[in-house]
Amino acid sequence: GENVEQHPSTLSVQEGDSAVIKCTYSDSASNYFPWYKQELGKGPQLIIDIRSNVGEKKDQRIAVTLNKTAKHFSLHITETQPEDSAVYFCAASIYGQNFVFGPGTRLSVLP
Amino acid sequence: EAQVTQNPRYLITVTGKKLTVTCSQNMNHEYMSWYRQDPGLGLRQIYYSMNVEVTDKGDVPEGYKVSRKEKRNFPLILESPSPNQTSLYFCASSSPKGGSGANVLTFGAGSRLTVL
């Protein structure tokens, strides 16, 4: 079955700097890769996603890149702000079913 | 408002006392699933359902049951809870069909369960 690894497990950055979180997946059939943000006491919420027919997607300060050959995908957050502090999860899925999540990255943005 | 609703949000129970965590979605999603979240382990899938009366085991199904009698509801049943089932549980739903918003997994707010 699918296995998703995520690094780093914790990440601290200064406000205004960039943050990068990387994930790898094992099943070449996976074709949908979402990123979720979980704030304290809340359920994970989708922040950005990418499908296998696209190499990069950007939404304001957030971008995701996908390398299908290497089975890597990454989340990039630029100009980080304190409200970006949260736990981030990557996931891999086949047509929106059987999502497999990475173990999560705790991002701390220091003022 | 499109949402996934879980109840109860918090529950403390004792070993062996059967309990049910309810999950309901109002988005007409075909796919529903349950996850447990434990420190350092991320979100692990317990059971999932592709549609009404279609359920299957995820990665950590032991000690749990589910049913999908209606499209909107997907309850998680712990027949005889044990302390190792103390965890934070999330229900989620999605629509695998094509079109805008397809595949997006929407989560409930979570249910924190403590088994003494």
Side-chain angles (χ1 to χ4, degrees), chain A residues 41-71:
Chain A
K42 297 183 179 180
Q45 290 203 307
L46 180 75
I47 54 171
I48 195 167
D49 57 10
I50 191 166
R51 302 179 196 279
S52 59
N53 59 349
V54 175
E56 184 174 356
K57 183 177 178 181
K58 190 173 181 180
D59 182 4
Q60 299 183 332
R61 298 186 297 108
I62 295 173
V64 57
T65 58
L66 171 65
N67 182 329
K68 283 194 302 181
T69 303
K71 299 196 188 74

Side-chain angles (χ1 to χ4, degrees), chain A residues 31-32 36 38 41-46 49 51 87 89 93-104, chain B residues 9 31 35 37 40-43 45 48 50 59 88 90 94 96 99 101-109:
Chain A
N31 60 5
Y32 175 63
Y36 285 83
Q38 186 179 26
K42 297 183 179 180
Q45 290 203 307
L46 180 75
D49 57 10
R51 302 179 196 279
V87 178
F89 293 98
S93 164
I94 302 174
Y95 291 112
Q97 301 171 17
N98 292 349
F99 289 79
V100 177
F101 287 82
Chain B
R9 293 290 314 281
Y31 181 86
Y35 296 86
Q37 184 176 16
L41 298 177
L43 294 155
Q45 190 176 56
Y48 64 95
M50 307 280 261
D59 297 321
L88 179 58
F90 288 101
S94 72
N103 304 343
V104 175
L105 194 64
T106 301
F107 283 86

Side-chain angles (χ1 to χ4, degrees), chain B residues 51-63:
Chain B
N51 214 323
V52 176
E53 301 292 1
V54 180
T55 63
D56 210 344
K57 296 177 180 179
D59 297 321
V60 288
E62 295 78 18

